[in-house]
Amino acid sequence: MAIQEEHFKKVISHAKEYGFIFPSSEIYDGLSAVYDYAQNGVELKNNIRNYWWKSMVQMHDNIVGIDAAILMHPTTWKASGHVDAFNDPLIDNKDSKKRYRADVLIEDYVAKIEDKIDKEIAKAEKRFGDAFNLNEFITTNQRVVEYNQKKEAILSRMAKSLEKEDLADVKSLIEELEIVCPVSGSKNWTEVKQFNLMFGTKIGASADSAMDLYLRPETAQGIFVNFLNVQKSGRMKIPFGIAQTGKAFRNEIVARQFIFRMREFEQMEMQFFVRPGEQKKWYEQWKETRLEWHLSLGLGIENYRFHDHEKLAHYADAATDIEFKFPFGFKELEGIHSRTDFDLSSHEKFSGRKLQYFDPELNESYVPYVVETSIGLDRMFLAMFSSALQDETLADGSVRTVLKLPSVLAPIKAAVLPLVKKDGLPEIAKEILEDLKWDFNVDYDEKDAIGRRYRRQDAIGTPFCITIDHDTLQDNTVTIRFRDSMEQKRAPIDSLRELINEEVSIRKWLQKMQS
Ligand code: GAP
């Protein structure tokens, strides 16, 4: 098994074993692509949300937050284009009866070409050593040039066919590439059809008066329909933003890769309203700001890249993804979209209400343009969790499993551990716990040998272990052990709060964005 695949399996089993993520309704064998966050998972998820909210809402004078309902008037989705255009192209294999996203089958084929390119690069790097020049190699090596040309040709043909809704050509492409069903191995495909991803539901009790509704497929529309309410009640001046976090629902066909693609998930979105004509400037600015936010968590630029969209959504005049290096390769983590005035104009048309802003500087009214940043909270969780999980071989040859989460996101900031369960040590430990509780999420553990307790905390990513021993009785100091270095030092009890805060405060981490 490839190392990456093995790591991903470990991520999924670790998440369950250590109380981060469980399959939904597991006693009934689960529900595909739906997951529950467990006791540690919910803390990590809340910390990621808070880190985003602090940075996007509270640190910006011109951005405010809302919390709109999941259920919205059904015309919302007509106006937004989701009823007509929120589709995935589907194809069935007649032998296995399995259903696939046609574009994903093609993308998987392209990923195999990319693997071949990577292998050629790795071979050449080994051969040429320090003299290896990547740029020169990929532009001159015959085989790599051909692979790249093939890849580009496939992607651009697929993008054009999807753009023109030429589904017959998408099928032809699958046939020409001789793509086989991963389950049956056959090329016996149906036609490609469009499938709407929204979940339908009903409001009201009686069959006659019940109204068909949708569970929102994105949180953004709750912001658009409230644009004027917020602008007027908050006396907001353009440019300004409205942000929210909340659940979104999509009946995903290719539901795989754990919490990467879920049917019920959470988004953190911000719509930034700007003057028409200024959207490109803000689009570039938000690209930069959002990348800086990611980098502030310390994972290194090599884990991120931008991927500009070839096929633009129905509402966008520019769009890019911030991709993250997940265990299964670089994939979309966040989208940044210049949405033009599509949404507000369309809601004006469908609602018959004016959704315009009077610009006192220009002395004119207009429908603002919008630049949106949209990140999946669950994907961000997976990005942090999968890259933090490591097996470390120690000097004595033993292996420790450690979750090296950025400490600002760690579910538990400190564990308070009496060395033994007697001699008054638990009492002092509990006093320390009661005090630290006011400022941090802390844990108490007195079971098993201290080494095993340290490992348990390593596995859930706790940055500090505080051990109370017999010296504590004499001098009011404790041993503080650091998760990543395993270094231990003595510290006075009354210095603990400051010491922990120094490491885990949002201020310290977010200030990296300004440096
Ligand atoms: N309002 C724009 C919008 O919804 P999107 O690219 O469809 O744009 C934004 O979604 C983000 O939401 C994605 O970058 C991803 O992080 C997250 N996301 C989308 N579909 C998801 C799914 N099925 N499961 C988990 N996260 C998802």
Side-chain angles (χ1 to χ4, degrees), residues 217-218 220 250 252 259-263 265 267 269 271 315 332-335 337 339 372 374-376 378-379:
E218 62 171 9
R250 296 181 189 178
E252 297 282 1
I259 56 167
F260 181 81
R261 198 175 299 285
M262 300 160 89
R263 296 201 164 108
F265 58 101
Q267 291 186 312
E269 299 201 297
Q271 270 63 41
Y315 49 72
E332 174 184 350
L333 170 58
E334 169 158 10
H337 312 125
R339 286 181 84 126
E372 132 183 293
S374 173
I375 175 168
D378 314 85
R379 265 188 211 183

Side-chain angles (χ1 to χ4, degrees), residues 87-325:
N87 300 318
D88 272 348
L90 289 194
I91 190 163
D92 292 341
N93 183 267
K94 290 183 196 161
D95 297 318
S96 67
K97 311 273 184 261
K98 290 275 174 205
R99 179 164 277 189
Y100 300 94
R101 259 177 64 178
D103 55 335
V104 171
L105 281 180
I106 297 169
E107 277 166 9
D108 285 350
Y109 182 91
V110 167
K112 286 190 191 133
I113 302 180
E114 283 170 345
D115 282 348
K116 289 183 186 162
I117 297 175
D118 288 346
K119 279 196 188 122
E120 293 293 336
I121 292 173
K123 264 197 295 183
E125 255 176 340
K126 221 169 164 187
R127 190 158 12 111
F128 295 116
D130 285 348
F132 180 67
N133 179 326
L134 178 64
N135 207 24
E136 193 184 324
F137 180 73
I138 56 176
T139 47
T140 55
N141 179 279
Q142 185 64 16
R143 213 174 283 163
V144 171
V145 170
E146 278 171 22
Y147 283 146
N148 269 324
Q149 281 169 345
K150 184 168 181 193
K151 179 183 134 184
E152 292 312 321
I154 294 170
L155 287 178
S156 112
R157 176 161 158 206
M158 179 176 83
K160 280 198 194 105
S161 309
L162 289 173
E163 184 88 58
K164 288 188 293 180
E165 293 263 328
D166 185 353
L167 299 181
D169 192 56
V170 177
K171 182 179 181 195
S172 303
L173 185 56
I174 289 174
E175 286 172 339
E176 285 165 35
L177 297 174
E178 302 193 345
I179 294 175
V180 297
C181 165
V183 175
S184 68
S186 92
K187 293 180 231 161
N188 197 6
W189 296 110
T190 61
E191 298 306 310
V192 179
K193 300 179 291 260
Q194 292 289 20
F195 173 85
N196 193 287
L197 296 182
M198 283 195 292
F199 279 104
T201 186
K202 284 188 188 297
I203 197 167
S206 96
D208 303 339
S209 61
M211 183 160 57
D212 287 318
L213 296 187
Y214 296 104
L215 301 185
R216 65 182 178 196
E218 62 171 9
T219 57
Q221 297 304 323
I223 289 179
F224 290 123
V225 299
N226 278 303
F227 158 71
L228 259 198
N229 283 339
V230 174
Q231 190 271 319
K232 291 219 153 87
S233 58
R235 298 190 313 277
M236 307 300 290
K237 286 203 169 58
I238 270 180
F240 73 90
I242 307 177
Q244 76 168 323
T245 69
K247 288 276 174 116
F249 301 82
R250 296 181 189 178
N251 197 0
E252 297 282 1
I253 301 313
V254 186
R256 57 180 188 187
Q257 292 161 332
F258 193 36
I259 56 167
F260 181 81
R261 198 175 299 285
M262 300 160 89
R263 296 201 164 108
E264 174 179 342
F265 58 101
E266 193 161 337
Q267 291 186 312
M268 307 190 286
E269 299 201 297
M270 191 279 299
Q271 270 63 41
F272 201 68
F273 299 90
V274 305
R275 275 186 191 156
E278 293 192 353
Q279 70 272 23
K280 278 276 151 66
K281 177 183 89 182
W282 288 109
Y283 170 71
E284 292 304 329
Q285 180 147 337
W286 278 111
K287 269 176 75 171
E288 198 181 308
T289 306
R290 291 304 303 149
L291 183 63
E292 276 175 22
W293 181 83
H294 288 284
L295 294 177
S296 71
L297 288 164
L299 262 60
I301 185 81
E302 64 283 4
N303 287 297
Y304 302 88
R305 69 181 190 199
F306 284 113
H307 172 245
D308 295 336
H309 289 203
E310 284 194 33
K311 177 182 183 256
L312 291 172
H314 57 274
Y315 49 72
D317 71 358
T320 196
D321 296 335
I322 296 180
E323 292 188 337
F324 181 78
K325 201 172 180 185

